[in-house]
Amino acid sequence: MASSETQVSCRDVWKVFGPNAAKVIESGDVDLPRAELMAKTGCTVAARDISFDVRRGEVFVVMGLSGSGKSTLVRCVTRLIEPTSGAIELCGRDVLGAQPKELRELRRTKVAMVFQHFGLFPHRRVIDNVAYGLEVQGIDRDTRYRRARELLGVVGLAPVEASYPDQLSGGMQQRVGLARALAVDPEVLIFDEAFSALDPLIRREMQDEVLRLQERLQKTVIFVTHDLDEALKLGDRIAIMKDGRFVQVGTPAEIVGAPADDYVREFVRDVPRGKVLTAAFATQPHGGEMPDEVVRHDQRLGELLPVVFGAKGPIGVVDGSGELVGILDRRMVVHVLAGREEPSVPEELPA
Amino acid sequence: MAAPTATTMRLPVAARIAGGRLGRWAPPLLLAIPLCVAAAAVEGIHAGFPAGWYLGVPRWFDGLNNWVTQNDSTNFFLHTIVSGFGNILNGATNDVVNLLHWMTWVGVLAAATVFAWIVGTWRTALFSALVICSFGVLQIPNGGPNGISQMWPSAMTTLALMTVAIVLSTIVGIPLGIASAIWPTVSRTLQPVLDLMQILPAFAYLVPIVVLFSIGNPAGIVATFIYAVPPLVRFTELGIRSVKKDVIEAAESFGSTRSQLLRNVQLPLAAQAIMLGLNQVIMMALSIVVIASLIGAGGLGDPVLNALQTQQIGEGAVAGLLIVLMAMWLDRSSAAFGQRAARDRAASGRTLTRRQLAGLCGAVLAVILVAHYGLALGDWPAGFGFSFVDQATTALNWVTNAFTGIAGPLSSFLTLHVLNPLQRWFGDVPWFIVAALVGTVGWARGGWRRGVLLAGCVVLLGLMQAPNGYTFQGTTSYNFVAWSDAMETLSLVVVALALDLVVGIPLGIAAYRWRAVDRVLRPILDFLQTLPAFVYLIPVVTLFGVGNVAGVSASLIYALPAAVRATTLGLRAVQHDVIEAGQAFGSTRWQLLFKVELPIARPYLMLAVNQTILLVMAEVVVAGLVGAGGLGLDVVTGFSRSEVGLGAAAGLAMVLMGIVLDRLSQSNPDRGRVATS
Ligand SMILES: Nc1ncnc2c1ncn2[C@@H]1O[C@H](COP(=O)(O)OP(=O)(O)O)[C@@H](O)[C@H]1O
Ligand SMILES: [Mg+2]
C-alpha cells in the first residue's frame, strides 16, 4: 500500500460520534440521512470511509463547508479524536495500535498542529509558548529557548518574545502558533483552518508565509480550509469533503477543470479558470511533426492567451522532457475557459 | 371571512393545557387530592402533626452519645481515627498559637504589614497594620481569656483556628476539586454532597460533631471546615473545567502527559479561580467563629457569644467589630494575593525580584528575633489600649434611642399582626395538606421523583419529634415538637424572604437601571457581604430585644445583598444584541425592562429567590442565639441543657426543611454557571 515516500496514510477511516458507534457502522444505519440517523441512534457521522495518502513534501488540502468533518478527520490522524474504525499510518508507524507512550512520542516529534483559534497558552509568554513542545519532551531550558528564539526570528516575532499572547494581534498570535509547531521540527504539519479567523489581508500574508517556508523546509502538510482560493493557492492536491465523505481528490487543475459532480462544479463555478487550468486541458492528441509554436503542458491557459490568438499556425504542447503530447485546440481553449463544455481530460494527465 | 369553528378554537387551547405549563400540575394533583381526602377520612382534620407519631430520633442520638462516651478509649475508630484526627487539629492549633505568641506583637504586626505590602498596595499594608493594632488597642474589661481585658490573645487564637481550618480546607478541597474536574464520576458523586453541605445551616451538624469530637477546638475546626470547604471544591473544579478546550487540545497535540497538562496548563489557568475559592473559604470560616465558639472553639467568638447570651451588647459589639476587622483584613490580603498573578503578567504595577523578596522576609525575621530575644517582647502590652466598651455602648444606645420610637411599635406590629398570625396559621394546617402541597409543587417543577422525595421529607420532619414525656438521664426533657417548631421557623423565613424580595428586587433593578444607584450600592453591598452572619444579631438585639422580630430583621439584612446582587447580575446577563433589537423597535426604557430584560433574566431571578431563601433560613436558625423561636432555638436549648438527642433531632429537622425549601425554589439545577458570572 503506502510507498516509501508516503508520510501519512489513512485507510477506510470512520468516525461516528454517539453511543455504540461501532455497531452503527456495521448495521448499515450510517447510510441513513443525517437527521434520521440522529433520531434512530443518537449518532452523527463525521468521517465516512476516508482513504488518502500524503507524500513527503506535499501540501494536501482538505476543503469543505463548515460541519463537513474536516477537523474531525485531521484530529483522527493524531488521535486527538479517536477514530471509530480504519487504519492510519504516520511516518511509517501504526497510529491506532500505538500505546499511550508511543502515541505521545509520535505527537512530540513527528507531527505538530496549528489551530483555528490559535490555542495559545494565555498564561505563558510568547517564548514559553513556542518552547512548549520541547519542554514536554524534557529538553533543557537553554536549548529550548535557543530553538524558540530561532523560530521566532523565522516568523518575524523576535521582538515580542516576552509578551503574552493577548497582547498580540490575531495575525501575530497565529505566527506564534506557527513557530510553536515548527519548533519541534515535525515531519508532518497539520493546519486546521489556521487562517480562517484572520482578516483577508493578514490571511493572504500568512498564506505567502507558508508558501515561503514550505519552499525552504519541504514539510509534509495537511491543510484544512473552507476557502477555495486558499485551497487552490496552497494545495498540491485538494480533497473536497462533504458530509464526512471525500467527493473528489485531485490537483487544483483537476478539481476546477474536471469536477467530479454537481456539488464540486457548483463550488468551483466562480474560480478564474485561466489562473488554474493548464494547457493540458485544451490539448488534442496529435501524431504529426513538431509545430513552430510550442507551449508546455503545465502552463496556465490564462498566460497563454496572447500566444493562442497571436500565433498563425498550430500550437504544439510538450511535456516536461520536451516530447510533443498534442496540439492546443483553440476552440477548446475558449470552451474550457468559459466553462461551457466539459473538456475531455487527456488520458494521462501529467502531474 | 368565516369565523373559526368551535373545535379549531378549542383544540389548541386544550393541547396547550395538556402539554404546557398547566399540564405539569395535572398528574401530581390527580394523585395528591385523593391522598389528602383519604388521609382526612382516616385521621380526621386536625392541626399539625399527630403527637403519637415519632421515630425516636432523640433517643438514638442520646444512645449514640452514651456509646461514644463509654467506648471513647476502646473503640478503634473513635480512639485512633477520630481522636487522633482531633489531636492533630488541636496540636496544630496550639502550635500556631504558640508561634504567634513567640513572634511577639511587633513580629505579627511586621509580618502582616509586609505581606500585605508585597501582595497589595501601601493601602493594603496600612489597613493591615491598623487592624492588627486594633486587636491590641480595643479592649473589653474581663473580656479576654482568664478574665483579662486584652483581646490580643483571643485574636491570636481565632487567627490560629482560622489558619488550621483554612489549611485543612485547602489540602482537602483543592485535590477534591482537581479530581472532580478530571473524573466525571467523582464530580457526580461529590455534587449532591456539596449541595447538601451548602444548604445545611451550620447549626444542623454542630451536635453530631460534638458527639464525635466533644466540645473544644477540634470540633470548632471541623464545623468550620464543613461549612467553608464547598466553595473551594467548586471553584477549583470550575476553574479547571473552564480552561478553553482548544488550549487543552493544543497541549495534547504536543504530546503532554496527563500530569504535564495539569501542571503546565490547567492549574496555572485555574489559579485565579482557586484563589477566589480560597478567599471565600476565609470569609466563610470567619463568619462561623461565633457558632464554633458554641462548641468550644475559643477566641474572639467567645465574648460575642457571651454578650449575646447575657445581653451585654456593648461588649458583643466590640468583639464583633474585631472579628469584622479581621475578616476585612484577611479578605483584602487574600484578594490581593489572588490578583497578583494577573498583575505580574500584565507587567504593570510593582513586581519584586526574588532578591528583594528574600530581603523583605529576612527583615521581618530579623524584627521578630530582635523583638523576641533582644527586647523580650510578648503579647500586646495592656497599657497600649483602652476599654472600648463604653463608647460602643454609647453608640448603640444612641441608635436605640433614636429609633426606639419606630422600633417599638414596629416590633409589636410585626409580632402581633404578622408573625404570630402566620405562625398560628401555618401551625393549623394539617400535616397531609402540607405534604401534598410540597409534593405537588416539587413534582411540577422537578418531576415525580422530586415530588415524592420532598413530600417524604415533610413527613420525616414531623417524625423527628420526641414522644410526650421523653426523659433524658432521668430528667424530663422539654417538649420538642419538630412540626410546630418547623412551622415557626417557616413563618420567620417567609416574612424575611418576602421583605427581602420586595426590597431587594427593586433595588437590584435600580442598580441595573441607574449607574448612580449602582455606584452607591456597590461598596455597601461589598461591605455587608463580608460581614459574618452573627454580626447582624448585635444591632437588631439592641433595637428589638431578643425574640422573633430580631431574628427576622437579622435574616432580612443578612440575605438582602444577595437578593440585590443576583437581580442586577441577572439583568446584566441579557445579551446586548437582544436589547438592541428591542430598542430598534422603539421600546421605551420601561417597556424594554418589563418586556425584554426581566423575562430573559427570569432564571437568574429564580436563582436570587433560591439563594435568598437559603441565606434567610441559615440566619433564622442562627438567630436562635438571640431567642428567635423554632428549630434554631431547639438547637441552642439542646446545647445549653446538654440534651444531645434533642439538639441533633432538631438539626436533622433543619436539614429536611433546608432540602425542601431549596428544591422547591430551585428551577435551574445549573448553579455553578450562574454563580461564577
Ligand atoms: N464531539 C462531538 N460530538 C458529536 N458530534 C460532533 C463532535 N465533534 C464534531 N461533531 C459533528 O461532526 C460533524 C463534523 O464536525 P467538524 O469535524 O468540526 O466539521 P468541520 O471542521 O468541517 O467544520 C459536525 O456535524 C459536528 O456536529
Ligand atoms: Mg473545523
Side-chain angles (χ1 to χ4, degrees), chain B residues 180-406:
Chain B
S180 315
I182 297 179
W183 297 291
T185 9
V186 177
S187 176
R188 265 199 304 276
T189 328
L190 227 48
Q191 281 315 315
V193 180
L194 295 177
D195 267 349
L196 192 69
M197 283 161 88
Q198 283 192 310
I199 58 174
L200 283 190
F203 262 32
Y205 43 80
L206 291 188
V207 182
I209 290 176
V210 169
V211 169
L212 279 179
F213 291 93
S214 69
I215 296 272
N217 282 340
I221 292 171
V222 171
T224 310
F225 163 77
I226 295 177
Y227 185 67
V229 80
L232 184 56
V233 181
R234 290 233 148 103
F235 271 95
T236 306
E237 174 177 355
L238 209 80
I240 294 178
R241 287 241 168 136
S242 46
V243 173
K244 288 224 190 72
K245 208 175 144 278
D246 60 337
V247 174
I248 307 251
E249 194 172 47
E252 279 177 344
S253 80
F254 284 99
S256 310
T257 61
R258 191 80 202 67
S259 71
Q260 280 173 331
L261 188 64
L262 194 64
R263 258 185 302 122
N264 295 338
V265 180
Q266 290 173 305
L267 280 180
L269 286 175
Q272 269 214 311
I274 296 176
M275 283 310 301
L276 264 179
L278 211 56
N279 178 261
Q280 291 255 308
V281 169
I282 294 173
M283 299 317 291
M284 296 192 69
L286 270 159
S287 77
I288 195 183
V289 280
V290 174
I291 297 173
S293 284
L294 201 59
I295 55 177
L300 292 171
D302 269 346
V304 179
L305 196 61
N306 277 334
L308 286 178
Q309 285 169 345
T310 57
Q311 291 281 301
Q312 287 169 316
I313 296 306
E315 305 182 355
V318 176
L321 177 67
L322 292 181
I323 297 178
V324 170
L325 288 174
M326 187 182 276
M328 290 170 68
W329 160 47
L330 291 177
D331 180 39
R332 289 188 188 188
S333 297
S334 65
F337 186 57
Q339 281 162 6
R340 227 186 115 71
R343 206 171 34 161
D344 276 354
R345 201 150 88 46
S348 66
R350 160 169 42 82
T351 44
L352 298 171
T353 62
R354 255 162 229 263
R355 262 254 191 71
Q356 289 167 315
L357 267 180
L360 281 171
C361 292
V364 170
L365 190 65
V367 168
I368 293 173
L369 291 177
V370 168
H372 184 88
Y373 294 107
L375 305 173
L377 295 177
D379 285 352
W380 189 277
F384 288 13
F386 55 89
S387 163
F388 195 58
V389 173
D390 292 342
Q391 288 86 334
T393 314
T394 315
L396 284 172
N397 280 342
W398 181 84
V399 173
T400 318
N401 291 334
F403 289 96
T404 199
I406 311 171

Side-chain angles (χ1 to χ4, degrees), chain B residues 154-199:
Chain B
S154 302
M156 293 305 112
T157 305
T158 295
L159 198 53
L161 285 168
M162 289 298 103
T163 309
V164 176
I166 290 162
V167 169
L168 180 65
S169 302
T170 310
I171 58 185
V172 176
I174 291 181
L176 276 183
I178 294 175
S180 315
I182 297 179
W183 297 291
T185 9
V186 177
S187 176
R188 265 199 304 276
T189 328
L190 227 48
Q191 281 315 315
V193 180
L194 295 177
D195 267 349
L196 192 69
M197 283 161 88
Q198 283 192 310
I199 58 174

Side-chain angles (χ1 to χ4, degrees), chain A residues 53-327:
Chain A
D53 292 315
V54 187
R55 291 187 303 274
R56 181 187 295 280
E58 183 183 26
V59 178
F60 184 79
V61 172
V62 180
M63 205 208 75
L65 298 179
S66 161
S68 56
K70 312 175 296 287
S71 297
T72 306
L73 178 66
V74 293
R75 277 166 178 70
C76 284
V77 172
T78 54
R79 274 172 73 190
L80 284 173
I81 289 177
E82 196 70 39
T84 311
S85 70
I88 296 169
E89 237 177 63
L90 190 66
C91 306
R93 309 254 283 271
D94 172 22
V95 175
L96 299 192
Q99 296 302 304
K101 189 155 178 291
E102 204 183 335
L103 181 64
R104 266 203 308 275
E105 207 47 48
L106 267 175
R107 287 181 185 169
R108 283 178 180 183
T109 55
K110 299 291 186 207
V111 50
M113 232 173 137
V114 185
F115 298 88
Q116 176 169 14
H117 300 292
F118 320 140
L120 298 180
F121 306 120
H123 60 300
R124 293 175 151 241
R125 293 176 307 163
V126 163
I127 190 163
D128 291 308
N129 263 284
V130 176
Y132 186 82
L134 301 170
E135 185 181 333
V136 293
Q137 291 176 33
I139 289 170
D140 70 272
R141 202 183 150 95
D142 287 344
T143 316
R144 60 179 198 250
Y145 273 10
R146 201 168 334 115
R147 174 81 184 144
R149 291 212 169 90
E150 189 184 315
L151 265 306
L152 281 172
V154 168
V155 298
L157 285 183
V160 297
E161 63 165 55
S163 305
Y164 284 87
D166 56 8
Q167 298 169 313
L168 305 182
S169 69
M172 287 163 99
Q173 290 191 35
Q174 196 55 299
R175 280 169 199 269
V176 177
L178 185 58
R180 182 176 66 174
L182 289 172
V184 294
D185 197 18
E187 292 180 28
V188 179
L189 270 169
I190 297 177
F191 293 76
D192 182 13
E193 304 223 16
F195 307 144
S196 300
L198 305 177
D199 295 335
L201 280 181
I202 312 284
R203 192 184 314 164
R204 184 143 13 113
E205 215 171 84
M206 292 298 290
Q207 290 161 358
D208 294 338
E209 177 99 40
V210 166
L211 286 176
R212 181 175 69 84
L213 285 170
Q214 180 61 5
E215 203 154 297
R216 235 173 76 192
L217 304 172
Q218 287 292 309
K219 299 282 181 195
T220 305
V221 176
I222 301 180
F223 195 101
V224 169
T225 180
H226 65 239
D227 176 357
L228 184 64
D229 291 336
E230 192 168 73
L232 294 172
K233 180 171 177 184
L234 298 178
D236 292 325
R237 277 191 306 147
I238 299 171
I240 308 275
M241 203 168 177
K242 182 196 174 199
D243 292 339
R245 211 189 295 277
F246 277 0
V247 289
Q248 186 174 7
V249 181
T251 61
E254 283 171 314
I255 299 281
V256 174
D261 63 8
D262 287 346
Y263 181 76
V264 182
R265 189 169 304 120
E266 195 54 31
F267 238 112
V268 300
R269 212 178 58 177
D270 295 331
V271 172
R273 304 165 68 86
K275 286 190 182 166
V276 179
L277 297 182
T278 54
F281 281 85
T283 301
Q284 291 286 4
H286 178 69
E289 61 207 51
M290 184 81 75
D292 296 339
E293 201 70 64
V294 289
V295 296
R296 278 211 333 276
H297 69 90
D298 57 356
Q299 278 181 283
R300 311 257 177 244
L301 285 177
E303 306 161 12
L304 292 179
L305 282 182
V307 183
V308 170
F309 295 105
K312 301 261 154 31
I315 304 167
V317 180
V318 296
D319 64 14
S321 53
E323 289 287 318
L324 186 68
V325 290
I327 60 161

